[in-house]
Amino acid sequence: MTDNSCVPYHVPVLLSKSIDALNVHQGGTYVDVTYGGGGHSDEILRRLQGNGRLFALDQDADAIARGCQRRKTNNDNTQLYATPLQLIRSNFRYLWQWMRYYDVESVDGILADLGVSSHHFDTAERGFSFRSDAPLDMRMNRQAPLTAAQVLNTYSEQQLCNIFRLYGELHNAHRLAAAVVRQRSQSPIETTYQLVDIADSMMRGDRRKQELAKVFQALRIEVNSEMEALSSLLTAAARLLRPGGRLVVITYHSLEDRLVKLFLRSGNIEGRIAEDIYGNRQTPFDTQRGKVVVPSEEEQQNNPRSRSAKMRVGIKK
């Protein structure tokens, strides 16, 4: 029997660069809105050295449980765990509400490592990957009502087309949606391999894996309302950060990256840039001239999940 306690739950991306960008200082209050396996949170705790406060959110019960287990088994590491850590099982779209609940009016830094964790991809029964046959679930929160199978079997052809085109940026979105509707009229689509069989006929051989990844990405985004959640997070971050506070966001696809870039430039989801009477832009963030940070070649080789990662940083004015 394999000892899963020794298997990393999630390999953090851009670990040092993201925490460096967060500019952690002792006595500060920070939020890791994507706890995952706790890698980023642990590094924040190390730098706080027992003097500060950290809140960590994750909607996946597995992540929270693994974090609690690790803290119990490593309770002799006083430097790492001396800082108060408040684990919150919740979607980060409710960040503002949770900070109000804990009477936190402002914070010094917010970190978001978006997308799917290593654990989600490696746990076949969660249905996030086309590499294994499993139920089409894709819920990051297993208590959420909507699954990928329900989307495929109940959404209209036009709704499916919109999802594949908008969230997967697939050129053959209409054909794929039509194929899904034809197949489900014969029998329900319930597993990842059933979806792969439907999509395979319209995938180019040299781009098959990339195209399948986009299909699965589109469904995952819809199931978890990821773009709406990101919009809520960004809006809350602008309200919560103190002047000089840092917002660090790691994205994995162009939809996320565009939204984060637009928000940091304008301070709002719509991208409206206000100007004063002299024509100077009135934005709440200094974006470090729009600099984008990507993983090193070594990290990309060691952690495949990092290959599409981009990090953007906003400093609250």
Side-chain angles (χ1 to χ4, degrees):
M1 181 178 294
T2 301
D3 181 6
N4 291 325
S5 64
C6 297
V7 179
Y9 181 93
H10 169 66
V11 181
V13 172
L14 288 164
L15 178 58
S16 295
K17 291 180 179 179
S18 62
I19 308 305
D20 287 346
L22 202 59
N23 193 33
V24 175
H25 60 83
Q26 294 183 34
T29 299
Y30 297 88
V31 187
D32 178 356
V33 301
T34 47
Y35 182 69
H40 288 106
S41 284
D42 280 359
E43 186 59 28
I44 294 172
L45 292 172
R46 286 190 181 95
R47 300 194 187 193
L48 286 172
Q49 295 184 348
N51 184 9
R53 197 176 186 189
L54 175 64
F55 294 87
L57 285 75
D58 204 297
Q59 61 182 327
D60 191 336
D62 289 352
I64 297 294
R66 182 58 64 93
C68 292
Q69 178 186 14
R70 190 182 63 254
R71 290 173 67 83
K72 289 179 180 178
T73 57
N74 293 281
N75 57 15
D76 58 330
N77 193 334
T78 55
Q79 180 182 356
L80 178 59
Y81 296 121
T83 301
L85 169 63
Q86 180 64 59
L87 285 168
I88 303 169
R89 183 183 172 187
S90 175
N91 189 302
F92 56 58
R93 71 189 307 164
Y94 303 114
L95 173 63
W96 173 257
Q97 292 88 331
W98 279 110
M99 293 300 96
R100 299 301 297 169
Y101 176 80
Y102 286 103
D103 295 322
V104 176
E105 296 184 358
S106 59
V107 300
D108 296 284
I110 298 171
L111 171 70
D113 180 8
L114 305 176
V116 184
S117 74
S118 309
H119 169 76
H120 289 135
F121 279 128
D122 294 338
T123 307
E125 62 265 24
R126 300 294 294 269
F128 286 98
S129 173
F130 56 83
R131 298 186 304 239
S132 302
D133 196 18
L136 277 163
D137 191 323
M138 299 194 193
R139 292 173 298 173
M140 293 185 183
N141 176 2
R142 291 188 177 187
Q143 294 183 343
L146 185 66
T147 67
Q150 289 173 304
V151 171
L152 290 171
N153 289 296
T154 64
Y155 278 31
S156 69
E157 183 174 330
Q158 186 59 55
Q159 286 176 307
L160 291 171
C161 179
N162 292 341
I163 291 169
F164 292 137
R165 180 179 294 123
L166 178 61
Y167 295 153
E169 299 180 297
L170 290 161
H171 298 297
N172 57 0
H174 180 72
R175 289 178 57 211
L176 179 58
V180 167
V181 171
R182 284 196 303 272
Q183 180 58 44
R184 78 186 189 191
S185 68
Q186 301 175 25
S187 61
I189 303 168
E190 298 177 338
T191 70
T192 55
Y193 276 7
Q194 284 180 286
L195 177 57
V196 169
D197 287 342
I198 296 169
D200 252 345
S201 62
M202 56 195 76
M203 298 298 170
R204 292 173 293 174
D206 60 333
R207 296 273 304 169
R208 177 181 177 272
K209 289 184 178 179
Q210 292 91 328
E211 297 291 301
L212 283 175
K214 290 181 177 181
V215 173
F216 277 66
Q217 170 186 292
L219 283 171
R220 189 201 77 223
I221 291 174
E222 173 66 17
V223 167
N224 296 286
S225 301
E226 291 181 27
M227 300 309 295
E228 295 85 352
L230 178 55
S231 297
S232 297
L233 167 64
L234 294 172
T235 302
R239 298 173 68 185
L240 285 167
L241 284 168
R242 298 186 180 106
R246 305 287 184 96
L247 173 62
V248 179
V249 185
I250 303 171
T251 65
Y252 295 88
H253 57 76
S254 58
L255 296 175
E256 293 173 338
D257 185 58
R258 281 199 296 266
L259 180 55
V260 172
K261 179 181 178 180
L262 185 67
F263 187 86
L264 291 177
R265 289 174 58 185
S266 66
N268 58 76
I269 300 303
E270 296 78 17
R272 299 189 309 269
I273 299 178
E275 296 182 348
D276 62 19
I277 59 175
Y278 302 105
N280 298 313
R281 290 186 173 188
Q282 302 297 295
T283 60
F285 291 100
D286 175 354
T287 60
Q288 297 186 330
R289 299 178 182 176
K291 182 180 179 181
V292 178
V293 178
V294 297
S296 65
E297 291 185 8
E298 180 181 2
E299 180 174 2
Q300 293 183 46
Q301 292 176 356
N302 294 332
N303 184 4
R305 178 176 177 266
S306 72
R307 291 171 185 168
S308 60
K310 293 181 179 180
M311 184 180 79
R312 294 185 184 271
V313 181
I315 304 175
K316 185 70 177 293
K317 293 180 179 178

